[in-house]
Amino acid sequence: MVQHVVVIGAGIVGAACAIELLRDGHRVTILEPGEPGGEQAASYGNGTLLNPSSVIPMSSPGIWRKVPGWLADPLGPLAIRWRYLPRLLPWLTRFLNAGATEAKVAATARALRPLLLEAPERHRRLADEAGVGHLITRQGVLFVFLDRADFESEGMAWRIRRETGVQWLELSADELRQREPSLDRRYTFGVLVEENGQCHDPGAYVAALVRHAQSLGADVRQAKAVGFRIEDRRLRAVLTASDGEIAADKAVIAAGAWSKQLAAAAGDRVPLETERGYHAVIADPGIAPRYPVMPSDGKMGCVMTPQGLRLAGQVELAGLDAAPNWRRAVVLRDFARSVYPGLPHDLAAEQVKFWMGHRPSIADGLPCIGPASRSPDIVHAFGHGHVGLTAGATTARLVAELISGRPPTIEPAPYSAQRF
Ligand SMILES: Cc1cc2nc3c(=O)[nH]c(=O)nc-3n(C[C@H](O)[C@H](O)[C@H](O)COP(=O)(O)OP(=O)(O)OC[C@H]3O[C@@H](n4cnc5c(N)ncnc54)[C@H](O)[C@@H]3O)c2cc1C
């Protein structure tokens, strides 16, 4: 049955949902207050990686011991702003608990893997349809370490990855040098995960998906959703800030880090926070790395994009409204010099662009996908944290299956918003 579905948010999740819903024959309206794929969205400035191997959540056993350091060092790879701590505490407690044992981390990894598994192929198909297939590649991703002992210090994470089916090639110092000559010599051990891929320009990709959705009949409205009109558990309309009510049979909440209030309006209180992240892009870097690189001592992704070398990473727990701390992006830029000695020493200010964005992160490391408590006509599709670009394509397929009443490709139970 053809239904009118209102998709709230045009980041990667909303854009991909719109296409999958149109494919199933539904009428689609997309609500987005900013530009689809624009700088406001996490989907614009992320690390560009499509990594089925990214199954390990941020929280791990013993991580609570690091909390004082996160509060003390505003420029460390993970930082908490003091002023935000009281509001953060309930989420932080759940977050620390979610990774308290190896068994918990392994359970999260097993639940995440199906959402990530076929990501590069699924994105390639979506991108091909939208005429931007060249943006998606599957060349593998290099994880580089100071030595084998450095790699083994992350033993639990790699053990769990292997248990979920991730395979890799181990590279000696010589092999690493041959694969990636631009790397600094201090890295003497590498792991190449060949199943991983890259979306070279995620902002352009999302914009192209939304244009494609429009060409298939979607109505794109520059509007912000603020709630729902629900009668007898049936959705009647999505309420907007500027355009009044939009009559709807179904709605998808895909507003990324801004989804919490909409989820509450749909009857679900979810522990959603923003893990703010940063990037620095160096235009004309004078080097041409062959692989995306994850340096063990940098906690960041180093990737080539059409705009230049992008260094993406950092986690800052400071809420949706605090001003960016651009010194964090400077840290990323400066660390890049120690990864790639061939980078110019005196970069002109106009050669470097900084960005800050909001990862939508649920405390237990899994997204919310599935029907809402107040009405099954409203479907949650948010909270993908560090892996939303990768997981966006399979999330969209699952959302379309739930709305169209078809058997789901993957088991949706682990992502239920009612699990809290
Ligand atoms: C530094 C960094 C590096 C990352 N690296 C990677 C990576 O390499 N690989 C990976 O898979 N993931 C990565 N991520 C995570 C990934 O970017 C996110 O998980 C993903 O982009 C989330 O997509 P989304 O569509 O849910 O949200 P967003 O992209 O944030 O989009 C949400 C959209 O909803 C709109 N919106 C907000 N409120 C409303 C409203 N009320 N009504 C209508 N619309 C609304 C917003 O304007 C926005 O456009 C990274 C994130 C960061 C910050």
Side-chain angles (χ1 to χ4, degrees), residues 7-15 31-38 40-51 54 116 206 223-226 254-259 262 275-279 312-314 355-360 381-391:
V7 176
I8 301 170
I12 182 59
V13 176
L31 301 184
E32 168 58 61
E35 282 292 309
Q40 80 287 348
S43 300
Y44 170 89
N46 54 59
T48 76
L49 301 177
L50 300 175
N51 282 3
S54 291
L116 309 178
V206 172
K224 181 178 170 188
V226 293
W258 297 271
S259 299
L262 290 165
E275 284 185 57
R276 297 147 56 108
Y278 290 79
H279 84 209
Q314 302 266 10
W355 171 87
M356 189 274 285
H358 295 281
R359 293 183 193 88
F382 58 85
H384 297 76
H386 291 243
V387 295
L389 178 65
T390 309

Side-chain angles (χ1 to χ4, degrees), residues 9-359:
I12 182 59
V13 176
C17 282
I19 300 224
E20 293 291 347
L21 288 159
L22 288 158
R23 200 195 304 287
D24 281 3
H26 300 297
R27 186 157 79 81
V28 171
T29 298
I30 302 174
L31 301 184
E32 168 58 61
E35 282 292 309
E39 294 195 17
Q40 80 287 348
S43 300
Y44 170 89
N46 54 59
T48 76
L49 301 177
L50 300 175
N51 282 3
S53 72
S54 291
V55 291
I56 305 298
M58 285 293 288
S59 181
S60 58
I63 200 170
W64 56 270
R65 287 191 208 97
K66 296 187 178 168
V67 174
W70 297 343
L71 284 160
D73 180 3
L75 299 182
L78 198 157
I80 300 175
R81 288 213 195 153
W82 269 106
R83 234 173 306 150
Y84 195 62
L85 185 59
R87 279 183 62 189
L88 182 69
L89 263 180
W91 182 92
L92 187 62
T93 310
R94 275 185 194 271
F95 170 83
L96 297 174
N97 185 42
T101 63
E102 178 166 342
K104 286 187 176 188
V105 175
T108 305
R110 281 195 299 276
L112 211 43
R113 178 79 167 159
L115 266 185
L116 309 178
L117 195 54
E118 293 173 3
E121 298 94 318
R122 283 188 189 277
H123 280 291
R124 180 61 195 245
R125 281 200 293 275
L126 282 171
D128 277 339
E129 280 176 46
V132 291
H134 63 283
L135 291 179
I136 311 289
T137 56
R138 190 174 209 176
Q139 67 296 310
V141 170
L142 262 183
F143 296 78
V144 300
F145 300 87
L146 302 178
D147 50 29
R148 181 176 272 282
D150 186 21
F151 166 67
E152 282 166 0
S153 71
E154 295 182 10
M156 183 195 78
W158 289 97
R159 193 163 56 244
I160 293 173
R161 285 191 185 102
R162 195 186 291 286
E163 282 162 16
T164 61
V166 178
Q167 296 181 348
W168 60 85
L169 284 178
E170 296 188 358
L171 305 176
S172 67
D174 276 354
E175 289 164 336
L176 189 55
R177 212 67 58 227
Q178 282 167 28
R179 295 261 186 184
E180 193 52 84
S182 59
L183 273 180
D184 189 83
R185 299 272 158 154
R186 78 176 179 287
Y187 298 110
T188 67
F189 186 76
V191 161
L192 177 63
V193 182
E194 290 176 298
E195 69 178 5
N196 290 342
Q198 194 187 357
C199 170
H200 292 261
D201 190 341
Y205 173 45
V206 172
L209 291 183
V210 173
R211 274 198 309 275
H212 181 53
Q214 266 177 307
S215 76
L216 297 174
D219 182 17
V220 181
R221 290 167 73 161
Q222 192 159 32
K224 181 178 170 188
V226 293
F228 306 97
R229 183 154 64 81
I230 298 167
E231 291 165 7
D232 298 330
R233 291 184 48 76
R234 303 312 320 210
L235 176 68
R236 300 296 175 204
V238 175
L239 315 181
T240 70
S242 53
D243 292 19
E245 290 196 359
I246 299 176
D249 303 307
K250 305 275 179 184
V252 180
I253 303 178
W258 297 271
S259 299
K260 192 171 175 166
Q261 272 144 14
L262 290 165
D268 292 302
R269 284 166 57 88
V270 293
L272 174 67
E273 258 302 329
T274 162
E275 284 185 57
R276 297 147 56 108
Y278 290 79
H279 84 209
V281 173
I282 302 174
D284 305 319
I287 55 167
R290 296 175 185 165
Y291 290 94
V293 166
M294 302 286 293
S296 67
D297 52 353
K299 304 292 173 224
M300 62 205 261
C302 311
V303 295
M304 281 308 289
T305 68
Q307 296 78 25
L309 177 68
R310 181 183 290 191
L311 302 319
Q314 302 266 10
V315 172
E316 182 181 47
L317 296 166
L320 284 168
D321 302 323
N325 177 356
W326 293 120
R327 285 184 304 155
R328 298 182 68 88
V330 170
V331 168
L332 295 172
R333 180 198 67 191
D334 292 348
F335 194 83
R337 286 209 187 90
S338 77
V339 178
Y340 302 108
L343 274 178
H345 277 278
D346 37 359
L347 293 166
E350 60 275 12
Q351 224 178 322
V352 184
K353 191 178 164 214
F354 296 138
W355 171 87
M356 189 274 285
H358 295 281
R359 293 183 193 88

